[in-house]
Amino acid sequence: MWDGIIVGGGLAGLLAGIRAAERGKRILMISEGVGSLTYSSGVIDFGNVAQLVRQDKHPYALLGESIVRNGADYFQAHFPDYHGKWREVQTVLTPLGSPRKAGFIPNGLNAQVLHDAHLIVLMAPEGMKDFFPKVTKANLERAYPQCVVKVHPFRLDAFESWHTLGKPVNGMDYTKYWRSASGTGALKGVVNSLNQELDEARSDPADPGKSVVVFPGLASAFSNSIKEVLSDLPFPVVEMTAFPPSASGHKLYDALKETFGALGGELMVGTGVKQVEIQGKRCHKIIVKSKGKDSEFSARSFVLATGGVFGGGIEVTPEASKEMVFGLPLYVPDEWTNSEFLGDQPYARIGIEVDRELRPIDSKLNEVILENVQVIGRMIAHWDPWVEHCGGGVSLASGWFAGETM
Amino acid sequence: MTDYQVVIVGGGATGVGILRDLSMRGISALLLEQGDLAHGTSSRFHGLLHSGARYAVKDPVSAAECIDENVILKQIAAHCISDTGGWFVQSSEDAQSYVEQWIRGCAYAHIPIREISLADAYLKEPLMSKDVLRVFEVPDATVDGFKLVWANAKSAKRYGGDYKTYHQVERLILDNKRIVGVAAKNLVNGEEIMVHCEVVVNAGGAWASQIVGTIGVPLDVICDKGTLLAFNQRLFQRVINRLHPPSDGDIFVPHETITILGTTSEIVDSPQENQPREPEVKRLLAMGEKLLPNLMGHRVIRAFAGVRPLHREDSEVPGSVEEGREVSRTFVLIDHEVHDGVEGLISIVGGKFTTYRLMAEKVSDWVAEKLGNTAPCSTAKENLMSEIPQDLRKQALRLLPCVAAEKMLERLGDDAEEVLTKIMDDPRKGQMLCECEMVSVAEVEKVASDEDSHHLADIRRKTRLGMGTCQGAFCTYRVLPLLGLENKKFDPLQDELKRFINQRWKGIRPVLWGQQLRETELTRAIYASILQLNENPG
């Protein structure tokens, strides 16, 4: 008998697992895939909290601002590589080099320093997939008109054979290489030669100084060796967020898993729930299909963190929408879409309606459906991360709350 | 003094077909198109090259025209056509009496048919419904509308024909009831142009009545909207028609890696009304189920709609030039001198994509006679595209994945050389920018720099960029650096990007379920969150 079983291993599920395990609970996490963090930029967005806590039925409104904040604080306490202050907006660079707002950001991404820069050196790793130096330069020039932007291309012996074959080298490949022993050495070489160039520029009286280096495909968070190389430099380095797949998101996923495991949590990846056993208003047991045979697991409480439509927790067909684990009823908006793709899209608010304890409710009868099940993250109804920009915040708050109370 | 002898209005299949025909006869002609070539009905259909069998019962004239043109186009436009063959399938709900009528109709129109045993049929098309009584093979094929239109335009250009895209006709110019020119506006830079000519051919399709409307000439064109669905795989290997009176949702047409299910029919008020709607989608799926069970379990990547221009069937056909020729009900030539007293103006309305060449021939015959040109039509004899040289093909296969190489050669013909040179100079340009449709960086770069590419959608129509499973989620981003930052040819990049995504969204909205819904979540995550192209109040 487990104290808790968490179905789904993305940001919300893992944070719930970490908190519960830390409280001494025996937690099993069952995850069909590896969550969506690798698709994300690794940045945690909170959105306009003050406004969203007043928005009818929004997860922030159900939980209240103090719990949203607790989730954020808790996350930051465990992952000090994430910087940012509560309700303070930060700036990071998009993969196209435009500044954008963000909540908590991984070490090295803070772009604030660009406001005071006079020279931006844009590092351009040879042939990096989905990184466009010219577009990025143009966007940096537009955003920071006081700056001169210089592109600094470089190529590495390690990828010579890739270039010859025309094989793409994506940001993850570069990040992986920088983290290896030989790659860290190469990184030192790259930044040292840059430093010499900048030194010469600095001795030029026409150059007013204040140089900042913008570096794509570098993820210093959770890597002491890279941080060490960068800390010795006389100029600040601003990392860029990445187009999927993103090393920053991936490293956060790794760090969450590691923390969960270190606290005694058990993680099964690649298995889905086949069936659940319910008695009255309680779930007792889940049956998972694993390695060709079925296995049963019993627990006192359960957390549903299967990631909504994208995570596979909700399946929509032309006839019906279905929650895939417990078969819970879903809030399905009457109007499904709007014409402006990046505007409000009603479909995005599909999900499970929950009470303040995050238990699934029948909203017509106003009754809890399953008393020992909590729903977190993207599975909760009535929010749209792509217009409200609060995806990280909802996951952390609901994940933390479930871990705290299960 | 005239700039051109003829101005053709409309850059669909018929318009470019006329441009090619006239140019080959040595008549100087300019084609004006308000958008990009093939942006309208000529690309918004199922892409079926009819054998004529579909019309064998109801419309024998049309059926006979289709089979003749089918044979011609397979010869002259082989690179745009995939000779998949087609089947007519009788389900248990379809009347035997109709089958007999159909067999007689095919014989009358000289359409070769062959019955296939059910055992053989299921071996070849295992997904086909088990509720099938008889299967007949016909010479249907599939045709790529974009490619065919571009191939006609390029061929016409070789013969001296000109075309201008993004030029909207503002009015026809008359001198004493005689056409003397056309006033048009360049929609890209707002410039007004005036072209003098002796004859105007109105090949505006669903827009035809608007064009002659500029001089108060009435033309009764019915806008018939047809909605279609694109599935993300080849559900069938050949065209599958249901053997019953033509209806909604009874044709499956495989193209490249996808299948199109068509079509609905609904009269609308204007050609702009081409937004596919959910009820139409549901009707198509319900009908399609009869030929392919569990159709809803297959992934639909988008819905799209075209507006067919139909001429009112009961109307007289005044001014049919060839005396005695019974102009088929499927298309009509209208000489506005006979009908409205305006000399030098002809409209071509109705017809099908399969018979575009024939329509062009008939129009060109009329124009040639008017201008006293006696050169005969030669469009049926000369291939649209010259043979790809063996060494060019070999080189393409060396530098690109086989499928990508063949597709590129089919699209570009001789122009492929430019793309291959780019890849040789920089092997990274051989990478697939659009991974769904296998379009290389070098090809997109080449097409983006073409002088007639003004929008991302133009690049899409020429390359198929963004038309695959991801519907632009990844390639829209990747095309940005190729859009010519320096010469500012394209709109501000982020506007261009939003516009393109919204266009793609139009076709996804009515099929937003299953995997396509998941894909949409990812696309919104990329553009709203990672790139933050919308407002973040946070």
Side-chain angles (χ1 to χ4, degrees), chain B residues 166 188 453-461 465 472 476-477 479-480 482-484 488-504 527 533:
Chain B
Y166 292 99
V188 176
S453 298
H454 300 284
H455 295 291
L456 260 174
D458 302 345
I459 300 175
R460 169 176 72 81
R461 277 182 286 264
L465 174 93
T476 310
Y477 172 79
V479 81
L480 279 181
L482 306 180
L483 291 185
K488 305 252 185 291
K489 185 166 118 183
F490 290 83
D491 278 353
L493 294 186
Q494 306 206 332
D495 294 351
E496 189 60 48
L497 211 128
K498 278 194 222 173
R499 182 210 302 250
F500 189 72
I501 296 175
N502 275 336
Q503 279 170 355
R504 299 279 81 196
Y527 293 93
L533 292 184

mmCIF file of all heavy atoms in Angstrom, chain B residues 166 188 453-461 465 472 476-477 479-480 482-484 488-504 527 533:
data_model
loop_
_atom_site.group_PDB
_atom_site.id
_atom_site.type_symbol
_atom_site.label_atom_id
_atom_site.label_comp_id
_atom_site.label_asym_id
_atom_site.label_seq_id
_atom_site.Cartn_x
_atom_site.Cartn_y
_atom_site.Cartn_z
ATOM 1 N N TYR B 166 -0.909 39.320 -57.809
ATOM 2 C CA TYR B 166 -1.280 40.408 -56.888
ATOM 3 C C TYR B 166 -1.645 41.680 -57.660
ATOM 4 O O TYR B 166 -1.298 42.793 -57.273
ATOM 5 C CB TYR B 166 -0.184 40.654 -55.833
ATOM 6 C CG TYR B 166 -0.088 39.483 -54.891
ATOM 7 C CD1 TYR B 166 0.888 38.508 -55.044
ATOM 8 C CD2 TYR B 166 -1.034 39.314 -53.881
ATOM 9 C CE1 TYR B 166 0.936 37.409 -54.215
ATOM 10 C CE2 TYR B 166 -0.993 38.218 -53.043
ATOM 11 C CZ TYR B 166 -0.007 37.260 -53.210
ATOM 12 O OH TYR B 166 0.014 36.183 -52.386
ATOM 13 N N VAL B 188 0.444 44.796 -53.936
ATOM 14 C CA VAL B 188 1.622 44.780 -53.065
ATOM 15 C C VAL B 188 2.087 46.202 -52.776
ATOM 16 O O VAL B 188 2.361 46.553 -51.630
ATOM 17 C CB VAL B 188 2.760 43.945 -53.687
ATOM 18 C CG1 VAL B 188 4.010 44.009 -52.823
ATOM 19 C CG2 VAL B 188 2.309 42.498 -53.867
ATOM 20 N N SER B 453 7.050 35.910 -55.290
ATOM 21 C CA SER B 453 6.710 35.463 -53.937
ATOM 22 C C SER B 453 6.621 36.675 -53.012
ATOM 23 O O SER B 453 7.619 37.354 -52.793
ATOM 24 C CB SER B 453 7.774 34.501 -53.410
ATOM 25 O OG SER B 453 7.833 33.353 -54.213
ATOM 26 N N HIS B 454 5.431 36.942 -52.517
ATOM 27 C CA HIS B 454 5.246 38.119 -51.663
ATOM 28 C C HIS B 454 4.837 37.757 -50.251
ATOM 29 O O HIS B 454 4.924 38.555 -49.336
ATOM 30 C CB HIS B 454 4.192 39.057 -52.259
ATOM 31 C CG HIS B 454 4.554 39.543 -53.611
ATOM 32 N ND1 HIS B 454 5.490 40.516 -53.815
ATOM 33 C CD2 HIS B 454 4.129 39.163 -54.842
ATOM 34 C CE1 HIS B 454 5.622 40.738 -55.120
ATOM 35 N NE2 HIS B 454 4.807 39.927 -55.753
ATOM 36 N N HIS B 455 4.286 36.560 -50.095
ATOM 37 C CA HIS B 455 3.829 36.149 -48.773
ATOM 38 C C HIS B 455 4.284 34.727 -48.514
ATOM 39 O O HIS B 455 4.573 33.982 -49.448
ATOM 40 C CB HIS B 455 2.301 36.210 -48.677
ATOM 41 C CG HIS B 455 1.761 37.597 -48.803
ATOM 42 N ND1 HIS B 455 1.960 38.551 -47.836
ATOM 43 C CD2 HIS B 455 1.064 38.191 -49.791
ATOM 44 C CE1 HIS B 455 1.402 39.684 -48.218
ATOM 45 N NE2 HIS B 455 0.844 39.501 -49.413
ATOM 46 N N LEU B 456 4.269 34.369 -47.236
ATOM 47 C CA LEU B 456 4.596 32.988 -46.872
ATOM 48 C C LEU B 456 3.679 32.010 -47.589
ATOM 49 O O LEU B 456 4.093 30.928 -47.995
ATOM 50 C CB LEU B 456 4.418 32.814 -45.364
ATOM 51 C CG LEU B 456 5.687 32.856 -44.527
ATOM 52 C CD1 LEU B 456 5.331 32.820 -43.055
ATOM 53 C CD2 LEU B 456 6.559 31.681 -44.884
ATOM 54 N N ALA B 457 2.421 32.411 -47.767
ATOM 55 C CA ALA B 457 1.462 31.516 -48.418
ATOM 56 C C ALA B 457 1.851 31.249 -49.872
ATOM 57 O O ALA B 457 1.569 30.181 -50.410
ATOM 58 C CB ALA B 457 0.055 32.103 -48.341
ATOM 59 N N ASP B 458 2.531 32.211 -50.512
ATOM 60 C CA ASP B 458 2.989 31.984 -51.890
ATOM 61 C C ASP B 458 4.054 30.885 -51.895
ATOM 62 O O ASP B 458 4.082 30.031 -52.786
ATOM 63 C CB ASP B 458 3.578 33.262 -52.493
ATOM 64 C CG ASP B 458 2.573 34.409 -52.500
ATOM 65 O OD1 ASP B 458 1.377 34.145 -52.314
ATOM 66 O OD2 ASP B 458 2.993 35.564 -52.687
ATOM 67 N N ILE B 459 4.924 30.942 -50.907
ATOM 68 C CA ILE B 459 5.964 29.912 -50.794
ATOM 69 C C ILE B 459 5.307 28.558 -50.516
ATOM 70 O O ILE B 459 5.701 27.533 -51.063
ATOM 71 C CB ILE B 459 6.959 30.270 -49.671
ATOM 72 C CG1 ILE B 459 7.622 31.601 -49.987
ATOM 73 C CG2 ILE B 459 7.990 29.165 -49.487
ATOM 74 C CD1 ILE B 459 8.535 32.118 -48.887
ATOM 75 N N ARG B 460 4.279 28.581 -49.695
ATOM 76 C CA ARG B 460 3.551 27.340 -49.397
ATOM 77 C C ARG B 460 2.988 26.717 -50.667
ATOM 78 O O ARG B 460 3.152 25.522 -50.907
ATOM 79 C CB ARG B 460 2.404 27.628 -48.422
ATOM 80 C CG ARG B 460 1.433 26.473 -48.261
ATOM 81 C CD ARG B 460 0.374 26.754 -47.211
ATOM 82 N NE ARG B 460 -0.618 27.733 -47.635
ATOM 83 C CZ ARG B 460 -1.666 27.459 -48.406
ATOM 84 N NH1 ARG B 460 -1.851 26.241 -48.868
ATOM 85 N NH2 ARG B 460 -2.524 28.390 -48.733
ATOM 86 N N ARG B 461 2.326 27.535 -51.488
ATOM 87 C CA ARG B 461 1.702 26.984 -52.693
ATOM 88 C C ARG B 461 2.741 26.437 -53.670
ATOM 89 O O ARG B 461 2.471 25.491 -54.392
ATOM 90 C CB ARG B 461 0.840 28.049 -53.377
ATOM 91 C CG ARG B 461 -0.546 28.158 -52.754
ATOM 92 C CD ARG B 461 -1.388 29.179 -53.491
ATOM 93 N NE ARG B 461 -0.940 30.527 -53.154
ATOM 94 C CZ ARG B 461 -1.490 31.276 -52.214
ATOM 95 N NH1 ARG B 461 -2.508 30.829 -51.532
ATOM 96 N NH2 ARG B 461 -1.033 32.482 -51.942
ATOM 97 N N LEU B 465 5.228 23.768 -48.345
ATOM 98 C CA LEU B 465 5.675 24.098 -46.995
ATOM 99 C C LEU B 465 4.478 24.323 -46.058
ATOM 100 O O LEU B 465 3.588 25.088 -46.389
ATOM 101 C CB LEU B 465 6.499 25.386 -47.068
ATOM 102 C CG LEU B 465 6.950 25.998 -45.756
ATOM 103 C CD1 LEU B 465 8.325 25.503 -45.415
ATOM 104 C CD2 LEU B 465 6.957 27.508 -45.847
ATOM 105 N N GLY B 472 2.588 23.720 -40.121
ATOM 106 C CA GLY B 472 3.336 24.963 -40.000
ATOM 107 C C GLY B 472 3.955 25.243 -38.653
ATOM 108 O O GLY B 472 4.634 26.248 -38.487
ATOM 109 N N THR B 476 7.122 27.242 -40.186
ATOM 110 C CA THR B 476 6.824 28.677 -40.237
ATOM 111 C C THR B 476 7.948 29.451 -39.559
ATOM 112 O O THR B 476 8.378 30.499 -40.013
ATOM 113 C CB THR B 476 5.502 28.979 -39.503
ATOM 114 O OG1 THR B 476 4.510 28.096 -39.985
ATOM 115 C CG2 THR B 476 5.060 30.395 -39.731
ATOM 116 N N TYR B 477 8.412 28.895 -38.454
ATOM 117 C CA TYR B 477 9.511 29.512 -37.727
ATOM 118 C C TYR B 477 10.797 29.459 -38.553
ATOM 119 O O TYR B 477 11.533 30.423 -38.673
ATOM 120 C CB TYR B 477 9.670 28.771 -36.400
ATOM 121 C CG TYR B 477 10.883 29.144 -35.598
ATOM 122 C CD1 TYR B 477 10.909 30.306 -34.846
ATOM 123 C CD2 TYR B 477 12.002 28.314 -35.584
ATOM 124 C CE1 TYR B 477 12.025 30.639 -34.100
ATOM 125 C CE2 TYR B 477 13.116 28.636 -34.846
ATOM 126 C CZ TYR B 477 13.136 29.805 -34.106
ATOM 127 O OH TYR B 477 14.236 30.136 -33.377
ATOM 128 N N VAL B 479 11.279 29.341 -41.674
ATOM 129 C CA VAL B 479 11.330 30.057 -42.942
ATOM 130 C C VAL B 479 11.701 31.534 -42.722
ATOM 131 O O VAL B 479 12.136 32.221 -43.627
ATOM 132 C CB VAL B 479 9.975 29.909 -43.679
ATOM 133 C CG1 VAL B 479 8.949 30.873 -43.167
ATOM 134 C CG2 VAL B 479 10.139 30.047 -45.163
ATOM 135 N N LEU B 480 11.560 31.988 -41.481
ATOM 136 C CA LEU B 480 11.789 33.413 -41.188
ATOM 137 C C LEU B 480 13.104 33.984 -41.718
ATOM 138 O O LEU B 480 13.107 35.029 -42.349
ATOM 139 C CB LEU B 480 11.711 33.654 -39.672
ATOM 140 C CG LEU B 480 10.315 33.787 -39.097
ATOM 141 C CD1 LEU B 480 10.405 34.054 -37.610
ATOM 142 C CD2 LEU B 480 9.590 34.924 -39.775
ATOM 143 N N LEU B 482 14.747 33.291 -44.135
ATOM 144 C CA LEU B 482 14.877 33.277 -45.590
ATOM 145 C C LEU B 482 14.006 34.337 -46.261
ATOM 146 O O LEU B 482 13.972 34.461 -47.469
ATOM 147 C CB LEU B 482 14.493 31.893 -46.129
ATOM 148 C CG LEU B 482 15.236 30.720 -45.495
ATOM 149 C CD1 LEU B 482 14.777 29.416 -46.105
ATOM 150 C CD2 LEU B 482 16.729 30.877 -45.674
ATOM 151 N N LEU B 483 13.268 35.079 -45.445
ATOM 152 C CA LEU B 483 12.298 35.996 -46.029
ATOM 153 C C LEU B 483 12.885 37.355 -46.404
ATOM 154 O O LEU B 483 12.164 38.334 -46.509
ATOM 155 C CB LEU B 483 11.110 36.188 -45.082
ATOM 156 C CG LEU B 483 10.232 34.952 -44.918
ATOM 157 C CD1 LEU B 483 9.007 35.260 -44.075
ATOM 158 C CD2 LEU B 483 9.798 34.399 -46.256
ATOM 159 N N GLY B 484 14.186 37.398 -46.590
ATOM 160 C CA GLY B 484 14.765 38.631 -47.127
ATOM 161 C C GLY B 484 14.639 39.817 -46.198
ATOM 162 O O GLY B 484 13.909 40.761 -46.450
ATOM 163 N N LYS B 488 13.380 43.906 -47.478
ATOM 164 C CA LYS B 488 12.049 44.194 -46.933
ATOM 165 C C LYS B 488 10.925 43.790 -47.894
ATOM 166 O O LYS B 488 9.908 44.463 -48.017
ATOM 167 C CB LYS B 488 11.887 45.684 -46.605
ATOM 168 C CG LYS B 488 12.950 46.241 -45.687
ATOM 169 C CD LYS B 488 12.375 46.523 -44.307
ATOM 170 C CE LYS B 488 13.357 47.200 -43.376
ATOM 171 N NZ LYS B 488 14.468 46.402 -42.929
ATOM 172 N N LYS B 489 11.152 42.711 -48.617
ATOM 173 C CA LYS B 489 10.148 42.302 -49.596
ATOM 174 C C LYS B 489 8.886 41.813 -48.903
ATOM 175 O O LYS B 489 7.781 42.101 -49.319
ATOM 176 C CB LYS B 489 10.740 41.202 -50.460
ATOM 177 C CG LYS B 489 9.856 40.784 -51.582
ATOM 178 C CD LYS B 489 10.632 39.955 -52.584
ATOM 179 C CE LYS B 489 10.069 38.582 -52.669
ATOM 180 N NZ LYS B 489 10.818 37.724 -53.569
ATOM 181 N N PHE B 490 9.075 41.067 -47.820
ATOM 182 C CA PHE B 490 7.922 40.537 -47.103
ATOM 183 C C PHE B 490 7.494 41.534 -46.028
ATOM 184 O O PHE B 490 8.253 42.426 -45.654
ATOM 185 C CB PHE B 490 8.275 39.194 -46.473
ATOM 186 C CG PHE B 490 8.465 38.102 -47.492
ATOM 187 C CD1 PHE B 490 9.668 37.942 -48.143
ATOM 188 C CD2 PHE B 490 7.423 37.251 -47.818
ATOM 189 C CE1 PHE B 490 9.842 36.958 -49.104
ATOM 190 C CE2 PHE B 490 7.579 36.272 -48.772
ATOM 191 C CZ PHE B 490 8.797 36.118 -49.412
ATOM 192 N N ASP B 491 6.287 41.348 -45.528
ATOM 193 C CA ASP B 491 5.788 42.184 -44.444
ATOM 194 C C ASP B 491 6.720 42.066 -43.248
ATOM 195 O O ASP B 491 7.528 41.156 -43.196
ATOM 196 C CB ASP B 491 4.405 41.677 -44.012
ATOM 197 C CG ASP B 491 3.323 42.198 -44.919
ATOM 198 O OD1 ASP B 491 3.648 43.033 -45.766
ATOM 199 O OD2 ASP B 491 2.170 41.757 -44.785
ATOM 200 N N PRO B 492 6.577 42.957 -42.268
ATOM 201 C CA PRO B 492 7.346 42.751 -41.040
ATOM 202 C C PRO B 492 7.204 41.286 -40.622
ATOM 203 O O PRO B 492 6.108 40.738 -40.627
ATOM 204 C CB PRO B 492 6.669 43.690 -40.047
ATOM 205 C CG PRO B 492 6.085 44.763 -40.887
ATOM 206 C CD PRO B 492 5.735 44.135 -42.204
ATOM 207 N N LEU B 493 8.333 40.689 -40.280
ATOM 208 C CA LEU B 493 8.361 39.236 -40.129
ATOM 209 C C LEU B 493 7.297 38.685 -39.187
ATOM 210 O O LEU B 493 6.664 37.679 -39.456
ATOM 211 C CB LEU B 493 9.745 38.802 -39.665
ATOM 212 C CG LEU B 493 10.847 39.049 -40.698
ATOM 213 C CD1 LEU B 493 12.153 38.466 -40.217
ATOM 214 C CD2 LEU B 493 10.473 38.463 -42.040
ATOM 215 N N GLN B 494 7.110 39.385 -38.051
ATOM 216 C CA GLN B 494 6.190 38.806 -37.080
ATOM 217 C C GLN B 494 4.747 38.886 -37.571
ATOM 218 O O GLN B 494 3.952 38.000 -37.297
ATOM 219 C CB GLN B 494 6.365 39.491 -35.732
ATOM 220 C CG GLN B 494 7.828 39.418 -35.308
ATOM 221 C CD GLN B 494 8.045 39.472 -33.832
ATOM 222 O OE1 GLN B 494 7.261 40.054 -33.098
ATOM 223 N NE2 GLN B 494 9.115 38.865 -33.370
ATOM 224 N N ASP B 495 4.424 39.937 -38.342
ATOM 225 C CA ASP B 495 3.075 40.028 -38.914
ATOM 226 C C ASP B 495 2.860 38.911 -39.922
ATOM 227 O O ASP B 495 1.816 38.272 -39.968
ATOM 228 C CB ASP B 495 2.875 41.369 -39.627
ATOM 229 C CG ASP B 495 2.902 42.537 -38.666
ATOM 230 O OD1 ASP B 495 2.902 42.265 -37.452
ATOM 231 O OD2 ASP B 495 2.949 43.683 -39.128
ATOM 232 N N GLU B 496 3.895 38.696 -40.745
ATOM 233 C CA GLU B 496 3.837 37.673 -41.775
ATOM 234 C C GLU B 496 3.604 36.301 -41.122
ATOM 235 O O GLU B 496 2.800 35.501 -41.577
ATOM 236 C CB GLU B 496 5.163 37.689 -42.531
ATOM 237 C CG GLU B 496 5.217 36.843 -43.770
ATOM 238 C CD GLU B 496 4.195 37.221 -44.832
ATOM 239 O OE1 GLU B 496 4.083 38.408 -45.147
ATOM 240 O OE2 GLU B 496 3.510 36.313 -45.335
ATOM 241 N N LEU B 497 4.299 36.087 -40.031
ATOM 242 C CA LEU B 497 4.200 34.834 -39.298
ATOM 243 C C LEU B 497 2.798 34.637 -38.723
ATOM 244 O O LEU B 497 2.181 33.582 -38.867
ATOM 245 C CB LEU B 497 5.213 34.931 -38.163
ATOM 246 C CG LEU B 497 5.862 33.684 -37.675
ATOM 247 C CD1 LEU B 497 7.358 33.898 -37.673
ATOM 248 C CD2 LEU B 497 5.437 33.440 -36.267
ATOM 249 N N LYS B 498 2.266 35.696 -38.117
ATOM 250 C CA LYS B 498 0.916 35.600 -37.535
ATOM 251 C C LYS B 498 -0.125 35.377 -38.618
ATOM 252 O O LYS B 498 -1.054 34.592 -38.451
ATOM 253 C CB LYS B 498 0.577 36.888 -36.782
ATOM 254 C CG LYS B 498 1.147 36.926 -35.384
ATOM 255 C CD LYS B 498 0.493 38.049 -34.598
ATOM 256 C CE LYS B 498 1.510 38.787 -33.781
ATOM 257 N NZ LYS B 498 0.993 39.975 -33.133
ATOM 258 N N ARG B 499 0.056 36.059 -39.740
ATOM 259 C CA ARG B 499 -0.902 35.931 -40.831
ATOM 260 C C ARG B 499 -0.922 34.482 -41.347
ATOM 261 O O ARG B 499 -1.972 33.889 -41.560
ATOM 262 C CB ARG B 499 -0.508 36.883 -41.964
ATOM 263 C CG ARG B 499 -1.468 36.866 -43.149
ATOM 264 C CD ARG B 499 -0.750 37.175 -44.447
ATOM 265 N NE ARG B 499 -0.076 38.462 -44.403
ATOM 266 C CZ ARG B 499 -0.484 39.519 -45.101
ATOM 267 N NH1 ARG B 499 -1.537 39.441 -45.855
ATOM 268 N NH2 ARG B 499 0.188 40.639 -45.047
ATOM 269 N N PHE B 500 0.260 33.928 -41.505
ATOM 270 C CA PHE B 500 0.366 32.555 -42.018
ATOM 271 C C PHE B 500 -0.257 31.564 -41.036
ATOM 272 O O PHE B 500 -1.010 30.676 -41.425
ATOM 273 C CB PHE B 500 1.844 32.212 -42.248
ATOM 274 C CG PHE B 500 2.068 30.905 -42.965
ATOM 275 C CD1 PHE B 500 1.779 30.783 -44.315
ATOM 276 C CD2 PHE B 500 2.586 29.800 -42.307
ATOM 277 C CE1 PHE B 500 2.001 29.588 -44.997
ATOM 278 C CE2 PHE B 500 2.808 28.593 -42.972
ATOM 279 C CZ PHE B 500 2.512 28.493 -44.321
ATOM 280 N N ILE B 501 0.031 31.749 -39.758
ATOM 281 C CA ILE B 501 -0.514 30.823 -38.761
ATOM 282 C C ILE B 501 -2.034 30.923 -38.727
ATOM 283 O O ILE B 501 -2.733 29.918 -38.614
ATOM 284 C CB ILE B 501 0.075 31.117 -37.376
ATOM 285 C CG1 ILE B 501 1.573 30.856 -37.388
ATOM 286 C CG2 ILE B 501 -0.559 30.249 -36.318
ATOM 287 C CD1 ILE B 501 2.241 31.242 -36.114
ATOM 288 N N ASN B 502 -2.545 32.146 -38.853
ATOM 289 C CA ASN B 502 -4.003 32.310 -38.854
ATOM 290 C C ASN B 502 -4.642 31.655 -40.075
ATOM 291 O O ASN B 502 -5.731 31.105 -39.984
ATOM 292 C CB ASN B 502 -4.385 33.785 -38.771
ATOM 293 C CG ASN B 502 -4.418 34.278 -37.339
ATOM 294 O OD1 ASN B 502 -4.603 33.481 -36.406
ATOM 295 N ND2 ASN B 502 -4.234 35.558 -37.135
ATOM 296 N N GLN B 503 -3.950 31.705 -41.213
ATOM 297 C CA GLN B 503 -4.471 31.028 -42.410
ATOM 298 C C GLN B 503 -4.530 29.518 -42.194
ATOM 299 O O GLN B 503 -5.488 28.850 -42.571
ATOM 300 C CB GLN B 503 -3.573 31.314 -43.617
ATOM 301 C CG GLN B 503 -3.837 32.640 -44.282
ATOM 302 C CD GLN B 503 -2.754 32.960 -45.313
ATOM 303 O OE1 GLN B 503 -1.777 32.239 -45.456
ATOM 304 N NE2 GLN B 503 -2.932 34.063 -46.018
ATOM 305 N N ARG B 504 -3.467 28.978 -41.613
ATOM 306 C CA ARG B 504 -3.445 27.537 -41.337
ATOM 307 C C ARG B 504 -4.563 27.184 -40.346
ATOM 308 O O ARG B 504 -5.227 26.180 -40.463
ATOM 309 C CB ARG B 504 -2.099 27.094 -40.767
ATOM 310 C CG ARG B 504 -0.912 27.328 -41.667
ATOM 311 C CD ARG B 504 -0.760 26.258 -42.724
ATOM 312 N NE ARG B 504 -1.630 26.467 -43.845
ATOM 313 C CZ ARG B 504 -1.939 25.562 -44.762
ATOM 314 N NH1 ARG B 504 -1.454 24.358 -44.666
ATOM 315 N NH2 ARG B 504 -2.723 25.840 -45.762
ATOM 316 N N TYR B 527 4.254 29.585 -30.283
ATOM 317 C CA TYR B 527 4.108 30.963 -30.765
ATOM 318 C C TYR B 527 3.619 31.933 -29.693
ATOM 319 O O TYR B 527 3.952 33.111 -29.749
ATOM 320 C CB TYR B 527 3.241 30.994 -32.035
ATOM 321 C CG TYR B 527 3.982 30.314 -33.161
ATOM 322 C CD1 TYR B 527 3.797 28.965 -33.428
ATOM 323 C CD2 TYR B 527 4.948 30.999 -33.883
ATOM 324 C CE1 TYR B 527 4.532 28.310 -34.419
ATOM 325 C CE2 TYR B 527 5.697 30.366 -34.866
ATOM 326 C CZ TYR B 527 5.479 29.027 -35.131
ATOM 327 O OH TYR B 527 6.226 28.396 -36.088
ATOM 328 N N LEU B 533 4.398 35.866 -29.174
ATOM 329 C CA LEU B 533 3.927 36.781 -30.219
ATOM 330 C C LEU B 533 2.608 37.435 -29.844
ATOM 331 O O LEU B 533 2.105 38.262 -30.578
ATOM 332 C CB LEU B 533 3.767 36.035 -31.549
ATOM 333 C CG LEU B 533 5.050 35.543 -32.205
ATOM 334 C CD1 LEU B 533 4.748 34.914 -33.542
ATOM 335 C CD2 LEU B 533 6.047 36.679 -32.381
#
